[in-house]
Amino acid sequence: MQETASEKIDTTPENRQSAEARKFDFMVVSNRLPVDRCSSDDAENDDDGWRRSPGGLVTALAPLMMKADGAWVGWHGAPDESLEPFSHDGIDIVPVALSTDDVELYYEGFSNATLWPLYHDVVAPPEFHRAWWDSYRRVNRRFADAVIEHAALDATIWVQDYQLQLVPNMLRQSRPDLRIGFFNHIPFPAPEIFAQLPWRRAIIEGLLGADLIGFQRPSDAANFMRSARRFVGASVKQQQIQVKGPEGEVSHVARAQAFPISIAVDQISELAQRPDIIERARQIRQDLGNPKTILLGVDRLDYTKGIGHRLKAFEELLKEGRLTVEDATLIQVASPSRERVQQYRLLREEIEGTVGHINGSYDTIQNTAVRYLHHNYPIEEMVAMYLAADVMLVTALRDGMNLVAKEYVAARTNDTGALVLSEFTGAADQLKQALLINPHDIDGLKGTIMRAVHLPANESRRRMRSMRKEILEHDVDHWSAGFLAALAEGELGDDS
C-alpha cells in the first residue's frame, strides 16, 4: 500500500484503462462522491459536466487519490439514476445508485433521524423504525458490493462515517484479504445512550469488521470500546479489541484510536493574505456600519450547533445594555441543511423567528443587531468574514470536531481575534487557548462573550499564536497520513 500510494501513475487517456474495467489497490468509500454535477453555466467550463466538491475530506484525500492506484466509491447526489464508473480530474469514480426511497429511508431516515441525534447525545429525540433499518442494511450492502467488485487483491479500503457502519464487516466476510479502515466523523455516544438503539449489536459488529476504527476524540474511542465490551462481549485491552468468530475463536484484532481531523491550513492562510479578500473584509465591516465589534457564527442549520443558545445570550446582552447595536453586530451564517426533514424545517422557522424578534426590538435605521444569512458561500467569502470578525462564536451542543473553529484560527494570520469555543466540540481538545464555554450555561456564555469583546491585545496574540501553532502542526494532511500509516503498519500510534 505504501509503495502504491507514493508512486505517480500514468493518467493519460491512452495509457489509462476505464475505471469500470480496473481493479484498485486503494479505495475510499463515503456516502457522497468527491464530485458534484455542474450547473448549466459551470458545465461550459468543464468538459465532462462534473467539478470537484469543496470540503475537508476531499481536500485531504484528492492528492493521494491522484497519485495512488485508487478509486472513490459513493453516491453522486441524484436519486433514481445509475451511472457507470468514470474518471474526473485525476480521480477514478465508482458511483453507487440510490433510489428516492433509499434517500428517504436510509439517508434522511436511519442516518439522519436515528443515528445523528442518538450519536449527538440525544440533543433531539431519535426515531427507531424497522423499515429505515432494513433500508440502511440494503444500501450498506450495495456500497460493500461495489467495493468487492473493484478492489484488487490485498487492497486497502477506507470507509467514511456513520452512514456506512455495516460496510466494514460486510467486506471482511466476503474479502478477508482486504485491509479495512473506518473513520467516524461525528461523536460516538456513551454506552448508556447507545443502548437505546435496537440494532446496537449489528452496528458494533459492522464496525468491528475494520482493522482500524478512527474517531475524533479519545473519549469517542473509549465509548466505542465500552460498547463493544458490553453489547458483543468483546475482549478489550488498551485500544485492541479481539473479534471472535462463530466458534468463539479470535478471528482478528480491531483497534480503536483517535485521529482528530483538521483543515487545509495553507489554503486558508494564503486566502487570508490575498489583497482582494482583505479588501472584501474591509467592505463587510463598512457595509455593517463599521461597528466596534463584529461577532460571527458559521454553522449548518442543525440543532446540534447551539445557534439558539448563541442568539439568546446575544439578545440578553443587548437587553442588559452590556452590548449596544451601535457598537456590536452578530453575523450568523446558517447554511441550508436537510430541508426535507421536518425537524430541520421547524428549526429554521424557530431561528428565523428569533432573529426577527431581536432585530425588531433592537435595530435602528443605521444598525442591524443580527445579520442572518441562510446561504452557502464559497471559501473566499468565508475567509473574508473570518477576517472581518473580531469574535468567533462556536457554541455547539455536541460536535465531532467543528472545522469552522480551525478555519477561523487559520485565517487570523496577524494573531488577532478571539475564539469562543464550546467544550463539547472535538476542537476543544486541541485549541486549548480558546475561551472555552458550556453553551448550556447562558450566563457563563454571556460573560465569556464580553470577555472576548474586551480581550487585551497581548492576550489575544498569545492565545491565537498558540492555536495557530497547533493547527499548523496538525493539518488535514497530517490527519490522513497518520490514519493510513497506522492502518498500513498495524501498530498503535499517538493519540495526541
Side-chain angles (χ1 to χ4, degrees):
M1 164 60 197
Q2 288 177 319
E3 290 181 359
T4 304
S6 62
E7 293 176 357
K8 179 67 177 178
I9 62 174
D10 190 344
T11 58
T12 56
E14 60 270 21
N15 292 321
R16 187 169 188 150
Q17 302 174 22
S18 70
E20 181 177 10
R22 297 180 58 207
K23 299 287 186 178
F24 299 97
D25 292 322
F26 177 55
M27 301 183 76
V28 172
V29 192
S30 62
N31 178 64
R32 287 297 298 269
L33 286 169
V35 293
D36 296 319
R37 184 171 273 133
C38 299
S39 66
S40 56
D41 292 338
D42 293 331
E44 296 177 2
N45 300 317
D46 204 309
D47 293 338
D48 61 6
W50 298 92
R51 62 182 173 193
R52 187 179 295 180
S53 305
L57 184 64
V58 179
T59 300
L61 298 183
L64 178 62
M65 302 298 289
M66 294 172 69
K67 293 177 184 176
D69 188 14
W72 199 305
V73 178
W75 178 47
H76 64 287
D80 303 315
E81 180 183 47
S82 296
L83 298 177
E84 294 300 320
F86 63 97
S87 297
H88 173 79
D89 197 18
I91 301 177
D92 286 301
I93 303 294
V94 179
V96 174
L98 296 184
S99 68
T100 299
D101 283 346
D102 292 333
V103 174
E104 179 182 348
L105 302 177
Y106 145 79
Y107 181 70
E108 295 175 351
F110 195 79
S111 294
N112 291 319
T114 300
L115 294 176
W116 179 269
L118 184 74
Y119 281 30
H120 286 84
D121 291 351
V122 198
V123 172
E127 299 180 43
F128 306 111
H129 300 293
R130 287 169 288 180
W132 291 1
W133 167 247
D134 290 341
S135 179
Y136 185 82
R137 285 190 304 174
R138 286 194 301 271
V139 172
N140 272 242
R141 168 53 64 185
R142 202 175 306 154
F143 275 81
D145 288 345
V147 174
I148 291 165
E149 179 182 355
H150 292 278
L153 184 68
D154 298 327
T156 294
I157 313 299
W158 194 2
V159 185
Q160 306 288 332
D161 224 0
Y162 64 103
Q163 301 96 344
L164 302 174
Q165 292 175 104
L166 303 182
V167 169
N169 194 44
M170 290 175 174
L171 295 178
R172 182 163 294 279
Q173 295 304 314
S174 299
R175 291 285 304 273
D177 61 293
L178 300 175
R179 182 168 290 275
I180 305 163
F182 181 92
F183 188 79
N184 197 60
H185 291 258
I186 67 174
F188 196 90
E192 295 76 16
I193 292 176
F194 187 72
Q196 297 179 38
L197 185 65
W199 308 280
R200 61 200 186 189
R201 183 182 182 92
I203 293 290
I204 295 294
E205 290 175 341
L207 291 170
L208 287 176
D211 296 286
L212 178 63
I213 309 152
F215 297 92
Q216 300 282 24
R217 311 178 81 171
S219 58
D220 296 323
N223 284 341
F224 172 75
M225 289 184 282
R226 289 169 59 204
S227 288
R229 184 186 293 115
R230 176 171 171 180
F231 300 121
V232 303
S235 175
V236 179
K237 184 177 181 180
Q238 294 181 331
Q239 295 165 307
Q240 302 190 34
I241 307 163
Q242 293 186 346
V243 181
K244 297 179 181 179
E247 304 300 323
E249 77 285 2
V250 176
S251 60
H252 79 285
V253 176
R255 292 169 292 132
Q257 187 176 346
F259 296 88
I261 198 170
S262 193
I263 60 169
V265 178
D266 289 345
Q267 178 196 19
I268 301 293
S269 296
E270 288 169 8
L271 289 172
Q273 297 175 76
R274 266 178 37 184
D276 60 320
I277 293 179
I278 293 172
E279 172 58 24
R280 174 60 185 146
R282 187 197 65 78
Q283 185 65 47
I284 289 171
R285 294 194 72 96
Q286 182 175 311
D287 291 346
L288 293 171
N290 286 315
K292 290 181 181 177
T293 304
I294 293 178
L295 304 100
L296 175 65
V298 176
D299 312 89
R300 282 190 312 104
L301 189 55
D302 192 287
Y303 48 76
T304 65
K305 300 300 184 180
I307 300 173
H309 295 63
R310 183 182 314 157
L311 291 172
K312 182 175 180 61
F314 184 66
E315 180 180 13
E316 289 190 9
L317 289 171
L318 291 173
K319 183 177 181 180
E320 295 164 5
R322 297 165 71 183
L323 292 176
T324 66
V325 73
E326 290 79 13
D327 289 338
T329 297
L330 170 61
I331 303 174
Q332 177 59 59
V333 178
S335 303
S337 176
R338 300 169 189 161
E339 296 193 304
R340 286 165 40 116
V341 179
Q342 176 69 7
Q343 277 186 321
Y344 287 80
R345 291 198 297 266
L346 294 175
L347 176 65
R348 178 179 177 181
E349 293 174 7
E350 176 187 337
I351 295 301
E352 293 180 354
T354 301
V355 170
H357 169 73
I358 295 172
N359 286 343
S361 300
Y362 298 101
D363 277 8
T364 67
I365 295 295
Q366 295 85 11
N367 304 103
T368 296
V370 181
R371 184 63 59 89
Y372 176 78
L373 307 168
H374 185 59
H375 304 291
N376 289 307
Y377 289 96
I379 187 63
E380 293 83 0
E381 182 72 0
M382 292 312 309
V383 171
M385 290 191 202
Y386 295 147
L387 292 180
D390 305 286
V391 178
M392 185 80 209
L393 301 178
V394 177
T395 59
L397 307 180
R398 191 74 164 93
D399 218 333
M401 178 52 62
N402 195 287
L403 296 179
V404 163
K406 294 188 175 184
E407 289 179 353
Y408 179 74
V409 170
R412 308 301 294 193
T413 57
N414 60 357
D415 295 329
T416 62
L419 172 62
V420 175
L421 180 62
S422 167
E423 63 190 59
F424 303 119
T425 65
D429 284 359
Q430 296 175 288
L431 303 180
K432 299 181 185 299
Q433 290 300 313
L435 301 176
L436 298 178
I437 52 99
N438 173 0
H440 300 280
D441 177 7
I442 300 299
D443 285 336
L445 174 56
K446 288 159 55 181
T448 305
I449 290 173
M450 294 308 301
R451 182 182 173 193
V453 168
H454 298 295
L455 196 67
N458 60 344
E459 183 178 354
S460 173
R461 283 192 297 272
R462 175 178 58 80
R463 288 177 176 273
M464 196 61 69
R465 191 177 297 121
S466 174
M467 291 189 288
R468 283 183 56 77
K469 182 176 184 294
E470 171 67 27
I471 64 169
L472 284 167
E473 293 175 353
H474 299 89
D475 64 0
V476 72
D477 292 329
H478 178 273
W479 168 76
S480 60
F483 185 96
L484 291 173
L487 178 60
E489 295 167 6
E491 297 175 357
L492 290 177
D494 182 3
D495 274 352
S496 63

